[in-house]
Amino acid sequence: AMTAIATSHDRREGGRWTPLQSAKNTLLYLCARAAIAALSPLPRRWLRAIGRALGWVAYAVLPGPRRTTHENLARAMPALSATERTRLARQVYIELGSHLADTVALLSPRHDLRVLPIEPSSRRVLDAAAAEGRGVVFISAHLGPWEAVAGSLVAAGVALTAIAREGYDARFTKVFDRLRGRLGVRAIYRGRPGADVGIIRTLRRGGVLAIPMDLRS
């Protein structure tokens, strides 16, 4: 029942916001844009310190997501003690804050992408697959600074197109487009008309289609 209620308000699923949701989401968007404008020009080390602090605060004040994190860690790493899970969960949130800071930095022309290295053996496998001329389906874990991973592949000459999901607020999707456009990453939004055609065209022209595994694509 709760899933049905949530879906009914999700615009990506054809739902509608209530007036209260519309006002709340507009306030969140304006706050986010103001924060990006104010913070993105700051030195990267300052941004990372702010991001890590924000991650720590999120862990402390969001009991629902924190509980989910602990439950998932218990499933994935049952050998860890409760103390070890708590320490790891907190570190996850702090690292997520760092990645958020790095992403915000990339929205400013002051900061360039720090290109991540690609292992030579992995690059050889990717080049061999692309050389067959039928396109490549690149299944990727959605871990760490994924936008930087995608941007690094493009910087290395990989013709990458990523399957993405629209933001719950279309205004945030425009922010994603701005970031990905600066990095040269093309995106196909799975909920938009013509997404299936875009996928086929990407593969037919020999492109690399990246699919993060946590998207039901």
Side-chain angles (χ1 to χ4, degrees):
M2 292 301 294
T3 301
I5 292 172
T7 301
S8 69
H9 296 306
D10 192 333
R11 287 184 170 181
R12 295 169 296 187
E13 306 293 339
R16 294 183 178 182
W17 290 342
T18 65
L20 182 60
Q21 285 176 316
S22 181
K24 179 198 71 174
N25 290 337
T26 295
L27 178 61
L28 289 173
Y29 171 74
L30 292 175
C31 288
R33 286 301 302 268
I36 290 171
L39 296 176
S40 61
L42 294 177
R44 195 182 292 264
R45 66 179 183 278
W46 292 12
L47 283 172
R48 289 182 65 85
I50 293 170
R52 291 173 69 85
L54 181 62
W56 190 94
V57 170
Y59 178 83
V61 304
L62 298 176
R66 183 175 66 239
R67 183 170 54 252
T68 299
T69 302
H70 281 270
E71 291 172 352
N72 288 340
L73 285 174
R75 293 189 185 97
M77 302 177 180
L80 292 181
S81 67
T83 300
E84 290 170 328
R85 283 200 300 271
T86 297
R87 186 182 301 115
L88 179 57
R90 186 183 297 114
Q91 189 61 33
V92 165
Y93 275 72
I94 292 172
E95 286 302 313
L96 282 173
S98 293
H99 296 323
L100 174 61
D102 287 337
T103 302
V104 169
L106 290 175
L107 289 168
S108 169
R110 175 175 177 173
H111 300 288
D112 293 324
L113 172 68
R114 292 180 175 177
V115 177
L116 302 172
I118 302 174
E119 291 185 359
S121 59
S122 298
R123 183 58 193 263
R124 287 194 294 271
V125 171
L126 182 56
D127 288 343
E132 295 184 13
R134 296 181 296 172
V136 178
V137 176
F138 187 108
I139 305 299
S140 169
H142 203 171
L143 299 175
W146 198 90
E147 300 293 347
V149 172
S152 296
L153 286 166
V154 171
V158 176
L160 188 77
T161 298
I163 299 293
R165 191 182 189 197
E166 303 88 335
Y168 75 93
D169 185 332
R171 292 169 293 193
F172 279 114
T173 303
K174 293 180 180 179
V175 178
F176 304 154
D177 286 337
R178 176 182 157 198
L179 171 62
R180 290 166 181 157
R182 186 183 177 210
L183 298 178
V185 178
R186 293 186 294 270
I188 296 175
Y189 291 101
R190 65 180 193 172
R192 291 183 178 175
D196 49 354
V197 175
I199 289 171
I200 293 171
R201 285 177 176 170
T202 297
L203 295 174
R204 282 184 172 174
R205 67 170 178 256
V208 177
L209 186 72
I211 306 178
M213 290 190 296
D214 61 337
L215 294 182
R216 293 180 295 174
S217 300

